[in-house]
Amino acid sequence: NYRSYYKEGDVHLIFTLNADGSLAEYAIQDQSPKPDRMLNEIAAASLREASPFPHFPKALNLPRMSFSVIVSFKKR
């Protein structure tokens, strides 16, 4: 959906999932002095669109889990 935007960069996403796979919360941690707002929005929209995620395995027995990922945008 975002192939018409051709800038490169990294977006640091921190997000929390509930045990049922639903997205509880997320934040973007700006690492660069001049963050690309469009790349941030693309990464956030992609995370929202990917939700809900699969349920946690029952053996995990946790109500929530937090993740920190770097989404890298590179030209091909």
Side-chain angles (χ1 to χ4, degrees):
N1 294 335
Y2 307 103
R3 292 181 187 195
S4 62
Y5 194 72
Y6 292 104
K7 295 223 176 164
E8 293 186 339
D10 294 332
V11 177
H12 297 250
L13 278 174
I14 300 167
F15 61 97
T16 302
L17 298 179
N18 295 312
D20 66 358
S22 62
L23 183 63
E25 59 190 4
Y26 71 91
I28 295 172
Q29 188 177 35
D30 288 326
Q31 297 290 321
S32 66
K34 211 172 175 187
D36 187 315
R37 294 174 81 127
M38 185 61 154
L39 289 183
N40 288 352
E41 181 52 38
I42 291 168
S46 297
L47 177 65
R48 290 189 306 266
E49 290 170 12
S51 182
F53 294 87
H55 291 230
F56 295 172
K58 293 206 186 287
L60 206 53
N61 198 28
L62 294 171
R64 299 174 122 192
M65 285 184 68
S66 294
F67 301 86
S68 177
V69 298
I70 298 172
V71 180
S72 293
F73 294 90
K74 305 278 184 206
K75 292 180 189 176
R76 287 189 186 211

